[in-house]
Amino acid sequence: MKQHKKGLALWLTAILLLLAGALLTGSPGRAEGVQEAMRDAVLHNVNQISLFGWKTVNPGMISAFTVTAVLLLAAACLRIFAIPRFRMVPGKLQLLLEETVGLFDHMARTNSPHRFGFLGAYIFSAGAYIFVGTLFELLGLQAVTTHGTPVTLPAPLSDVNAAIALGTLSYLVILSGGVTANGARGVGKTLKEFSLPISMSFRLFGALLSGLLVTELVYYFVHLSFVLPVVVGVMFTMLHALIQTYVLTMLTALYYGEVSEPSHG
């Protein structure tokens, strides 16, 4: 009971200090309006980066290349150095990997008991990309735009093009399951859900972009802009990483299991 009261007192003290700081601190005086920040977060008309002098791209593409390289390097290191040392009594790393793989494998087996091998591998890969890509923006890595101004690299899927690409890829995976299991009839089952890639893409894009916009609003309207945006940004990023990983992988597994279920005469 004493520990509980002590922790509650610390939280109340921190909240009061933040409120006092918000009242006493002056306005941050942003040069860029919140509308301009939101518009550039979606359209990327201003903050563009030169890709090795070849062409200008939006920061989301640089983030996508970086996250992909990190995931491939991590997978190669695990395969070469960690997996050959696995034992019957698992260590912490082995236990973490087994639990993570088992989670997605169970999701695939539950929703598609007839065909789950490729589905498990795909939702594991998509889930890892969404989770790591969403947490990537917490690193605060910066790049220089073509105008010479620094810009923080966002999450790859906060770019609408990347979200549409991942949603379309998931839909093609679902279509492949229907064709493999039921041939032309599987194509019909999949095509009747014609709005699925759009809904998956914009659900993912909207959820990830909302974290950026909420942080921008906090920076713009709250005086204590050097404390609260950090807390709010981390909370939204962690929440989106978990929720969007679960939502997209679960939807893919559900629809894949539906269209790949063998037809009965």
Side-chain angles (χ1 to χ4, degrees), residues 38-127:
M38 291 182 178
R39 187 182 303 113
D40 188 65
V42 178
L43 301 178
H44 304 288
N45 290 330
V46 178
N47 294 327
Q48 293 192 337
I49 300 174
S50 177
L51 184 62
F52 303 113
W54 175 48
K55 63 182 300 185
T56 57
V57 297
N58 63 64
M61 181 172 289
I62 304 298
S63 300
F65 288 158
T66 305
V67 171
T68 302
V70 169
L71 287 174
L72 291 177
L73 181 62
C77 291
L78 289 174
R79 183 63 185 89
I80 296 173
F81 300 108
I83 293 180
R85 298 182 180 180
F86 280 3
R87 299 291 183 265
M88 292 298 296
V89 179
K92 294 182 179 179
L93 178 60
Q94 181 179 348
L95 184 61
L96 176 62
L97 291 175
E98 290 179 352
E99 289 294 329
T100 305
V101 174
L103 174 66
F104 290 101
D105 183 68
H106 177 72
M107 186 184 298
R109 290 175 183 268
T110 303
N111 293 282
S112 180
H114 304 285
R115 295 179 179 274
F116 55 83
F118 176 72
L119 175 63
Y122 174 74
I123 62 175
F124 175 79
S125 302

Side-chain angles (χ1 to χ4, degrees), residues 3-231:
Q3 293 287 342
H4 179 71
K5 291 182 178 180
K6 185 177 179 180
L8 181 61
L10 290 176
W11 275 108
L12 291 176
T13 303
I15 292 173
L16 291 175
L17 289 176
L18 289 175
L19 289 177
L23 295 174
L24 297 175
T25 307
S27 175
R30 291 179 57 88
E32 183 183 27
V34 66
Q35 294 181 352
E36 289 78 6
M38 291 182 178
R39 187 182 303 113
D40 188 65
V42 178
L43 301 178
H44 304 288
N45 290 330
V46 178
N47 294 327
Q48 293 192 337
I49 300 174
S50 177
L51 184 62
F52 303 113
W54 175 48
K55 63 182 300 185
T56 57
V57 297
N58 63 64
M61 181 172 289
I62 304 298
S63 300
F65 288 158
T66 305
V67 171
T68 302
V70 169
L71 287 174
L72 291 177
L73 181 62
C77 291
L78 289 174
R79 183 63 185 89
I80 296 173
F81 300 108
I83 293 180
R85 298 182 180 180
F86 280 3
R87 299 291 183 265
M88 292 298 296
V89 179
K92 294 182 179 179
L93 178 60
Q94 181 179 348
L95 184 61
L96 176 62
L97 291 175
E98 290 179 352
E99 289 294 329
T100 305
V101 174
L103 174 66
F104 290 101
D105 183 68
H106 177 72
M107 186 184 298
R109 290 175 183 268
T110 303
N111 293 282
S112 180
H114 304 285
R115 295 179 179 274
F116 55 83
F118 176 72
L119 175 63
Y122 174 74
I123 62 175
F124 175 79
S125 302
Y129 185 82
I130 296 171
F131 186 78
V132 176
T134 305
L135 296 182
F136 173 77
E137 65 180 353
L138 292 179
L139 298 178
L141 299 181
Q142 292 190 337
V144 179
T145 66
T146 54
H147 300 288
T149 58
V151 60
T152 302
L153 295 179
L157 295 173
S158 63
D159 180 14
V160 65
N161 301 295
I164 292 175
L166 186 57
T168 304
L169 179 61
S170 300
Y171 186 73
L172 293 177
V173 170
I174 296 170
L175 178 62
S176 68
V179 172
T180 304
N182 299 303
R185 185 174 297 180
V187 176
K189 284 185 176 181
T190 309
L191 292 181
K192 72 178 181 179
E193 303 289 347
F194 64 92
S195 63
L196 183 59
I198 299 176
S199 63
M200 294 174 70
S201 301
F202 283 92
R203 180 185 291 111
L204 184 63
F205 168 68
L208 293 178
L209 183 64
S210 64
L212 172 64
L213 299 186
V214 167
T215 305
E216 289 290 338
L217 289 173
V218 173
Y219 267 115
Y220 190 79
F221 289 109
V222 178
H223 294 303
L224 196 60
S225 60
F226 54 88
V227 175
L228 287 184
V230 177
V231 178

